[in-house]
Amino acid sequence: MINLSGVNTLDKGFEVSVMDGPLSGLRIIDSTTVYAMPTAMYILGDMGAEVIKVENPVASRVRAASVFPDNDPGEKPWNRDGGFHRLHRSKYSIALNLKQPEAVEVFKDLVRTSDVLAENNRPGVMARLGLDYESLYELNPRLVYFSFSGFGQTGPWKDFQGIGRMFELTSGVSQFTGYPEEGPRRVGGAWFDPPNGWMAVFAILSALHHRNLTGNGQRVDFSMYQMGVATVGDAILDYIANGRNGQIMGNRHPFLAPYGAYPCKGEDQWIAIAIENDKQWLELCRLMGSPLWVKSDKFSDGLSRWHNQDELDHHVGAWTSGYYHTKLMTLLSGAHIPSGAVMTAEEVLTDSHMKERKFFEEVTFPPKSRMGSRVYTGSPWKMSQTPSYIRRPPPDLGEHNEFILTEMLGRSKSQIDELYSLGAITKEPVPLPKPEPKKSEAELLAIKEKEVKDGTLAGYDPDYKSKLGMK
Amino acid sequence: MTKGALHNFRVIDLSSYIAGPFCARLFGDYGADVVKVEHPGAGDMARSFGPFFKDDPHPEKSLLFLYLNYNKRGITLNLNNSSGRKLFKELIKSADVLIEDFDPGYLEERGLGYGSLAAVNPELVMTSITPFGQTGPYKNYPGSHIVYEALGGVMYTSGASDRAPLAHGHPQSLYIGGVSASHSTSAALFARNQIGCGQHVDVSLTEVVAAHHTGPTTRYAYTGEIERRAPHNEAGSAKGGAHFEGVIPVKDGFVGATFQRGAGRRGTLADYLRLVGRPDLLEPEYEESLPAGRLTDEQDQLLLSVLKDWGKYEYFTTAASESWVAAVVQNSGDLANNPHLHERGFYTEMKHPIVGKIQIPGEIFRLPESSFKLRYPTPLLGEHNIEMYCGDLGYSREDLVRLHQLGAV
């Protein structure tokens, strides 16, 4: 159902035309939580779809990983969490308490006018609310009903809870990852959350292409586990054909050397170098000033280099230690040797290449939120005709209750008032969390200092706002 | 079951190795007509990369290539040859998507840049997957998996702070790069219905990793704090992590354990000891729900000791059945034999002319009305030359021989 109500009338001075994004004209209900699916939903929102986040006011937005502007949760911490904001830009928010039948009716009205419903509720929850696929099909046979779960809707593990950071283990990636003498590790935070969201976008679009051809929606069954396993398919075939399991090799490569992270000048500074052929190796030797050791038989060919990696890495590391990482990267990459400085978040955010590509996007919040402006990652691809970009700031809880009920569903002011009085809609969490005592500057500084001392923080930059050009 | 959801699209896969071929295969998995175009002679570089079937390094036995290129037809084509370039433009006429991963400028130099191809077929969606994208100061720099994880910010926060930063030991950045390319390409096809033309999609693998790793960049943009990988933890359980969420050694392998029960709920240490059958170790204070912070060293040691006699699947299924979030470190053999994956229909048998019958990982998600199907086994190099050049493009067999002798195919 292509509806053309996607013109943004809410944010003054931020008018968006209907044909602007690749998915302009689509309406999507985001009944998902946590990480992977909210990621999928913000991508669809960045692409121009009208994404309506249906929030449960009883579930807390604020979680252990919350990050507040200057560590100040403020009076309404649920509207100030960067951990939430980064996953919920380009969305509208309606806070519906689905324990109220009137709220379920609002949900159903949204379903009648929407193209996609995405949900990652525990099995049985949607059926209990009367929002299972069969019931919603009656209301809108064109609906793509997207069910996302850890292990899918069938199979012996279907009822198990699954979260992204645990799937690195269960999906088989950790069998390769870690320091060799120590055992498997996880790398990159909740590794499988974003890619599952990304694959979910592909799956949703596939179902929409099917609908363009047939007119019919369907219920998609998506499991995080399978998406993760699909990224190690070549290794599974190695077992099936050769009986071989993965090995933990640190940063090393199964047949290329030198390949790894090498120390650079300064504290905890590193560069990744990947030598993929003889030509690159000879170029590296030249840049190193052709020292005597490179002439040894141990390093004269690729196979010998691979077998003598301990010694090789020692020599290469001794050379890289004399350089700053970004300077060395310019030298190596300029000579067509694959290399990359191991960058901190600050370095990624201020990198000249990322800047020229305008990869990071600045979002200005409404003045009353006192959030100022903040910077978020954009899309890792650019479309020449229908750009994706952050279309609206992350919404406050229930920020668009009135807009959605009035403009999209045609409810009257008195009907909306009644929904508020019933508690079917709200703008505040239920129950209201106890306000945390505001920490003084000195207390906040002491927390940072402790984290630096413990080693979990490399440092902190009081001038971060000006460095990122944020207001 | 109808045809696959994407069956009215033709995709030309001019890419190699992992990211581009995985992206193109996803289109083939859900019905698109994917034509894999390889350079005559060596073909896709994945053909020379392992692992290989029975450890026999033969270009038709690369398991990496076999895995990433089923559901495609395969032809050879030489873009350095004038007849080859003419054939390529003829192929482009009937294509909806072109996926390519050459260095920026390579196709332009051959008169095959986006502008030239759009002149042949304005509806073409061309997706270019490169280390750094088509623009910017690094655009001509070479890339590699570990380079993307370094520059995207993943490595600095992974591993232990007293050791070198750590990348994934398997080219994850390339697989997820393929996923990112697939949904942007699909969105461009969707937009075509509305705007009436195709477009160029410029994917940067470095940005793919940076777009993944949004936690530390957001934290810096909110607080100025620079996150780092955690210190090494001698106890080993938390592997330096902030919570009891590390990789824990058990009797026959490793498991992942957490205090999380469902979304946002946490169990207590007491609940946990009851779960693992050690109520004898209960202390009254363990009934308190644990704070979100780190465990004490004693609690850490306690948990390590109570888990060491468990089997990995015994622990995983016991904890997960009681709604605890848990994980099990599975290796390739575990995955090949996993009953859940088999019951879900994840594996499909493929009959390949050289390798024979082999079980391949297949369906990633289920579209019941238009689902995954193994339509073509992985093509041999140039297997469909006659079908494409003589059938689709209408060349005579004699001309195909001429094209071959001219080095075009």
Side-chain angles (χ1 to χ4, degrees):
Chain A
M1 177 176 321
I2 302 285
N3 63 68
L4 296 179
S5 60
V7 178
N8 178 342
T9 53
L10 201 74
D11 288 335
K12 282 87 188 160
F14 197 79
E15 195 101 336
V16 173
S17 76
V18 168
M19 290 305 180
D20 179 79
L23 304 186
S24 295
L26 285 175
R27 180 177 288 173
I28 294 172
I29 304 174
D30 170 9
S31 178
T32 73
T33 57
V34 193
Y35 192 169
M37 281 310 290
T39 299
M41 297 290 109
Y42 85 62
I43 291 171
L44 296 168
D46 284 1
M47 285 177 171
E50 191 179 69
V51 177
I52 300 169
K53 181 163 182 72
V54 175
E55 299 197 61
N56 176 1
V58 181
S60 174
R61 275 184 172 196
V62 178
R63 298 179 188 281
S66 291
V67 50
F68 300 108
D70 298 315
N71 295 309
D72 175 12
E75 286 168 17
K76 296 179 176 175
W78 59 88
N79 290 334
R80 290 173 60 81
D81 176 12
F84 182 90
H85 288 164
R86 71 188 160 105
L87 304 176
H88 294 88
R89 82 268 191 113
S90 302
K91 300 180 188 179
Y92 299 85
S93 167
I94 180 169
L96 283 180
N97 183 356
L98 293 171
K99 292 209 171 79
Q100 300 284 345
E102 292 79 4
V104 175
E105 284 312 308
V106 171
F107 194 101
K108 286 182 174 170
D109 279 356
L110 280 173
V111 165
R112 286 187 178 92
T113 66
S114 292
D115 301 284
V116 178
L117 164 64
E119 63 94 13
N120 63 352
N121 294 287
R122 298 180 67 161
V125 170
M126 292 301 266
R128 200 163 64 233
L129 295 168
L131 300 173
D132 53 307
Y133 179 58
E134 289 68 26
S135 308
L136 299 190
Y137 178 85
E138 299 291 318
L139 306 179
N140 179 359
R142 290 174 54 83
L143 184 74
V144 171
Y145 189 109
F146 188 84
S147 289
F148 180 96
S149 64
F151 293 93
Q153 305 295 317
T154 61
W157 291 354
K158 71 178 159 61
D159 294 321
F160 292 0
Q161 300 279 321
I163 57 173
R165 63 182 179 276
M166 287 289 131
F167 275 114
E168 208 176 328
L169 280 60
T170 309
S171 291
V173 174
S174 293
Q175 67 172 319
F176 302 97
T177 303
Y179 301 111
E181 67 290 352
E182 200 195 71
R185 266 183 183 265
R186 296 187 290 116
V187 153
W191 182 254
F192 272 122
D193 277 308
N196 265 291
W198 301 350
M199 186 71 92
V201 171
F202 179 75
I204 288 168
L205 289 170
S206 296
L208 288 168
H209 285 302
H210 172 83
R211 195 183 71 167
N212 280 348
L213 295 173
T214 65
N216 299 323
Q218 58 186 308
R219 186 191 187 192
V220 186
D221 172 6
F222 191 105
S223 100
M224 293 184 88
Y225 177 41
Q226 268 158 269
M227 188 272 149
V229 177
T231 68
V232 297
D234 54 313
I236 295 173
L237 290 179
D238 196 14
Y239 179 85
I240 289 170
N242 304 315
R244 188 178 293 117
N245 280 312
Q247 274 183 20
I248 294 172
M249 302 204 305
N251 288 321
R252 286 182 175 172
H253 190 277
F255 57 92
L256 300 173
Y259 194 106
Y262 298 89
C264 289
K265 210 180 225 179
E267 202 200 324
D268 200 23
Q269 304 289 299
W270 305 80
I271 189 165
I273 299 176
I275 298 294
E276 296 178 331
N277 53 48
D278 282 342
K279 194 174 162 218
Q280 291 171 355
W281 167 250
L282 292 174
E283 198 57 24
L284 178 66
C285 292
R286 187 182 68 79
L287 293 174
M288 290 192 295
S290 302
L292 266 182
W293 64 265
V294 303
K295 298 183 175 66
S296 156
D297 285 350
K298 287 191 255 184
F299 310 118
S300 58
D301 69 283
L303 185 64
S304 303
R305 286 194 291 276
W306 194 86
H307 281 296
N308 295 297
Q309 273 181 90
D310 287 344
E311 202 179 328
L312 176 64
D313 284 347
H314 177 77
H315 284 302
V316 174
W319 177 70
T320 58
S321 302
Y323 289 85
Y324 291 107
H325 63 354
T326 43
K327 282 230 165 74
L328 186 56
M329 176 183 159
T330 308
L331 183 69
L332 291 171
S333 295
H336 295 287
I337 295 169
S339 75
V342 174
M343 288 194 170
T344 64
E346 180 188 16
E347 289 167 332
V348 177
L349 279 157
T350 55
D351 178 63
S352 61
H353 181 78
M354 300 277 197
K355 268 197 175 153
E356 191 166 316
R357 299 262 300 165
K358 297 189 168 64
F359 172 64
F360 288 97
E361 294 177 34
E362 186 178 352
V363 172
T364 304
F365 284 74
K368 66 173 165 44
S369 74
R370 295 193 190 167
M371 286 286 305
S373 70
R374 300 285 156 180
V375 165
Y376 304 90
T377 51
S379 304
W381 31 260
K382 299 197 184 307
M383 292 189 193
S384 56
Q385 296 292 322
T386 51
S388 276
Y389 56 90
I390 303 177
R391 280 156 204 275
R392 49 179 57 256
D396 287 352
L397 180 66
E399 179 177 334
H400 304 106
N401 288 350
E402 287 77 10
F403 175 72
I404 289 164
L405 289 163
T406 312
E407 303 292 323
M408 296 183 188
L409 303 181
R411 301 281 178 106
S412 68
K413 170 103 180 34
S414 62
Q415 287 173 314
I416 293 170
D417 289 343
E418 196 188 337
L419 288 169
Y420 274 112
S421 66
L422 288 166
I425 57 172
T426 175
K427 286 186 193 290
E428 288 184 331
V430 181
L432 210 56
K434 271 180 253 157
E436 299 233 353
K438 191 170 158 55
K439 290 191 178 73
S440 70
E441 292 284 321
E443 283 172 303
L444 290 171
L445 201 62
I447 293 169
K448 285 189 213 279
E449 290 290 351
K450 184 171 183 312
E451 276 211 67
V452 171
K453 192 164 159 282
D454 290 347
T456 52
L457 278 190
Y460 51 90
D461 185 351
D463 295 328
Y464 73 96
K465 279 184 195 158
S466 63
K467 209 167 261 180
L468 300 184
M470 299 187 308
K471 292 179 279 292
Chain B
M1 191 188 294
T2 66
K3 294 170 184 171
L6 308 176
H7 77 264
N8 66 332
F9 296 127
R10 174 175 282 179
V11 176
I12 306 291
D13 174 13
L14 191 59
S15 66
S16 67
Y17 198 40
I18 294 176
F22 188 45
C23 169
R25 203 205 78 196
L26 291 170
F27 280 85
D29 286 356
Y30 292 91
D33 175 18
V34 183
V35 181
K36 171 104 191 163
V37 178
E38 297 181 82
H39 193 78
D44 184 335
M45 69 192 270
R47 289 184 181 274
S48 60
F49 280 29
F52 290 93
F53 184 73
K54 304 291 182 198
D55 287 331
D56 176 8
H58 176 288
E60 300 297 353
K61 295 185 182 178
S62 162
L63 298 166
L64 181 67
F65 184 82
L66 285 178
Y67 175 59
L68 294 171
N69 294 285
Y70 59 73
N71 279 334
K72 302 178 187 180
R73 295 187 288 161
I75 62 173
T76 52
L77 183 63
N78 181 359
L79 296 177
N80 296 323
N81 176 289
S82 55
S83 297
R85 290 191 289 274
K86 178 167 177 285
L87 288 172
F88 186 69
K89 284 193 172 176
E90 289 171 18
L91 280 174
I92 288 298
K93 267 185 199 151
S94 65
D96 299 283
V97 174
L98 167 65
I99 296 164
E100 65 93 12
D101 60 358
F102 289 108
D103 294 342
Y106 180 95
L107 288 174
E108 277 92 343
E109 283 164 22
R110 285 157 183 76
L112 303 171
Y114 173 69
S116 312
L117 298 180
V120 172
N121 177 0
E123 296 202 351
L124 181 73
V125 172
M126 173 166 161
T127 299
S128 299
I129 306 171
T130 54
F132 297 96
Q134 304 291 311
T135 60
Y138 302 169
K139 70 175 181 196
N140 293 318
Y141 286 178
S144 189
H145 161 64
I146 194 171
V147 169
Y148 310 136
E149 293 212 351
L151 290 169
V154 160
M155 284 182 79
Y156 190 75
T157 57
S158 298
S161 59
D162 60 347
R163 304 192 63 169
L166 203 55
H168 284 105
H170 183 264
Q172 282 292 305
S173 60
L174 302 179
Y175 277 95
I176 70 166
V179 177
S180 192
S182 74
H183 72 217
S184 46
T185 304
S186 191
L189 285 170
F190 198 85
R192 202 173 64 170
N193 294 336
Q194 298 192 35
I195 63 173
C197 65
Q199 55 186 311
H200 192 191
V201 182
D202 166 13
V203 184
S204 154
L205 291 169
T206 301
E207 286 170 11
V208 162
V209 176
H212 176 288
H213 209 53
T214 56
T217 44
T218 305
R219 186 168 177 190
Y220 182 83
Y222 275 61
T223 66
E225 293 164 7
I226 302 163
E227 208 165 299
R228 180 178 196 230
R229 56 201 185 283
H232 193 70
N233 181 341
E234 288 304 321
S237 82
K239 288 284 165 59
H243 312 295
F244 176 58
E245 291 199 344
V247 185
I248 318 265
V250 292
K251 198 168 61 184
D252 57 351
F254 295 86
V255 297
T258 74
F259 282 114
Q260 202 171 320
R261 304 190 74 176
R265 283 197 306 138
R266 288 171 69 81
T268 64
L269 189 52
D271 291 338
Y272 200 82
L273 290 170
R274 284 189 281 265
L275 168 76
V276 297
R278 294 302 300 273
D280 54 303
L281 299 172
L282 278 177
E283 301 285 345
E285 68 268 25
Y286 294 171
E287 299 290 350
E288 297 290 314
S289 189
L290 278 170
R294 241 179 272 175
L295 296 181
T296 65
D297 283 349
E298 295 89 79
Q299 289 169 335
D300 216 22
Q301 288 299 340
L302 176 73
L303 291 163
L304 275 174
S305 70
V306 298
L307 287 182
K308 70 178 178 3
D309 295 326
W310 283 75
K312 61 181 182 180
Y313 286 108
E314 181 193 14
Y315 172 78
F316 172 66
T317 53
T318 302
S321 300
E322 298 286 321
S323 84
W324 295 80
V325 173
V328 50
V329 175
Q330 298 197 94
N331 58 31
S332 300
D334 295 333
L335 294 167
N337 296 314
N338 182 250
H340 184 77
L341 291 174
H342 282 279
E343 191 167 319
R344 296 267 300 160
F346 180 66
Y347 290 105
T348 301
E349 187 179 88
M350 180 166 89
K351 290 192 195 78
H352 184 269
I354 307 274
V355 162
K357 285 183 188 171
I358 187 165
Q359 168 188 308
I360 51 148
E363 183 182 71
I364 297 171
F365 53 87
R366 179 155 300 172
L367 299 177
E369 300 299 321
S370 44
S371 202
F372 172 93
K373 198 172 156 221
L374 182 66
R375 293 172 175 85
Y376 291 99
T378 307
L380 304 176
L381 186 63
E383 182 178 339
H384 300 93
N385 278 355
I386 294 172
E387 192 176 308
M388 280 304 296
Y389 292 124
C390 303
D392 279 58
L393 298 187
Y395 285 86
S396 67
R397 291 293 278 270
E398 290 82 358
D399 272 349
L400 180 62
V401 171
R402 286 185 191 102
L403 286 166
H404 176 81
Q405 287 165 339
L406 289 166
V409 305

